[in-house]
Amino acid sequence: MTLTNKPPTARSTLSQRGSSALGDRVFSWWTLGTGLLVLAILGLILITTVREAWPAFDAMGLRFLTERTWDPNPAAGDAIFGALSFAFGTAISSLIALLFAVPVSVGIALFLTELAPRRLRGPAVTVIDLLAAVPSVVFGLWGILVVAPAMVPVYQWLHDVFGGIPVLGSIFGPVSSGRNFMTAGLILAIMVTPIITSITREVFSTVPRADKDAALALGATRWEMIRGAVFPHSFGGVVGAVMLGLGRAMGETIAVALVIGGATNITANLFAPGNSMAAVIVQQFGESTGTFTAALIGLGVVLFAMTVLINVLAQTVVRRAEARMKGSVA
């Protein structure tokens, strides 16, 4: 008995096309809805926090952004809430973190994708991922118990060497303790390194093998191949990884609160104690009431705005840089 495959009828073909079109429409609406849901959540977060922080904004006005004094319980007069000192501490500690973390992260990612033996890549990636899973309070306790005391002699040596040099003497100023901007930046650098490394490694692995082989075939050294083929192709992704690490550094709370010193301070001295917006929120929120609570929520609004602004600027820089790399005029 011979079995033959019957050709599909016109009715079955139309039915399949109809179900396929329906599935495409459902999938399209579902993805659109999830995307709009993310934007709606962000919008609701912004609206809610601004509403809760409005008493402080109304009381201080623009001085909330320009005032460096933070005195919720003055001996006389009205309370003063100024976010400038905490914004400064957030920016300084985060920049220190990126200064140390970005070169190390890019170097590790290049090693894992271009140089490391295959048998070493798996264990190295596992260790990096485990480092990213360590709770932030553990980093904070390690920082205050081990890193801060151990770094005091190093800070003192740097002050002795550079203290008499103009500008550098202000940056590497007197050392009061190990809890300062520099220690907070070092702890943040360790915390964001696994994040930047993992994303950068994935970005580097997307570079076409043909581009690398073509560069090597033309006589380029390995470094010239990386500079000419890997970096231009991966620039946008690397900047995205750095921005994600910066967001983690700016929003870190408990680890920074333990090691930054807890002082309301604006100074060029990296060895001086200070504070960040996220850290002061976690330090003082439990004892706050009324306008004091609104001011702390206002710090969260300012931190949110800073993060959005930095990401928008980063995207602009990436677009212009990629346009130049492709030979077009930005």
Side-chain angles (χ1 to χ4, degrees), residues 69-318:
T69 302
W70 181 269
D71 190 0
N73 299 303
D78 297 331
I80 301 175
F81 301 104
L84 186 60
S85 298
F86 305 134
F88 174 82
T90 300
I92 290 298
S93 59
S94 300
L95 289 176
I96 293 173
L98 292 187
L99 183 64
F100 287 100
V102 172
V104 174
S105 301
V106 173
I108 295 173
L110 285 174
F111 174 75
L112 293 176
T113 55
E114 303 295 336
L115 299 174
R118 186 177 299 274
R119 65 179 181 275
L120 182 60
R121 293 179 186 177
V125 171
T126 301
V127 171
I128 293 172
D129 292 339
L130 288 175
L131 187 61
V134 176
S136 59
V137 66
V138 175
F139 283 107
L141 292 173
W142 177 64
I144 195 173
L145 296 175
V146 178
V147 177
M151 292 302 295
V152 170
V154 179
Y155 297 157
Q156 189 61 52
W157 177 80
L158 289 172
H159 172 65
D160 295 338
V161 173
F162 299 106
I165 302 176
V167 181
L168 291 179
S170 300
I171 297 175
F172 302 105
V175 182
S176 57
S177 69
R179 300 175 61 195
N180 49 48
F181 292 118
M182 180 63 77
T183 302
L186 292 176
I187 296 299
L188 288 174
I190 298 173
M191 296 178 67
V192 304
T193 292
I195 299 174
I196 301 176
T197 300
S198 297
I199 300 176
T200 304
R201 176 176 55 83
E202 294 296 333
V203 171
F204 286 161
S205 65
T206 64
V207 178
R209 186 75 236 178
D211 292 357
K212 301 178 184 178
D213 293 340
L216 295 174
L218 291 174
T221 63
R222 188 176 293 274
W223 165 244
E224 290 172 339
M225 179 272 292
I226 292 173
R227 188 177 60 183
V230 176
F231 284 162
H233 184 276
S234 309
F235 180 76
V238 173
V239 173
V242 173
M243 289 300 103
L244 188 61
L246 177 60
R248 169 69 190 276
M250 293 178 64
E252 182 53 47
T253 54
I254 190 64
V256 175
L258 289 173
V259 299
I260 199 170
T264 306
N265 190 21
I266 295 180
T267 176
N269 182 11
L270 299 181
F271 302 149
N275 219 334
S276 69
M277 288 186 286
V280 76
I281 292 173
V282 75
Q283 290 167 354
Q284 302 182 7
F285 197 84
E287 61 187 26
S288 64
T289 57
T291 307
F292 188 7
T293 301
L296 293 174
I297 298 174
L299 291 179
V301 175
V302 174
L303 180 60
F304 182 84
M306 287 178 60
T307 304
V308 172
L309 179 61
I310 290 173
N311 278 276
V312 170
L313 292 176
Q315 291 178 3
T316 303
V317 171
V318 168

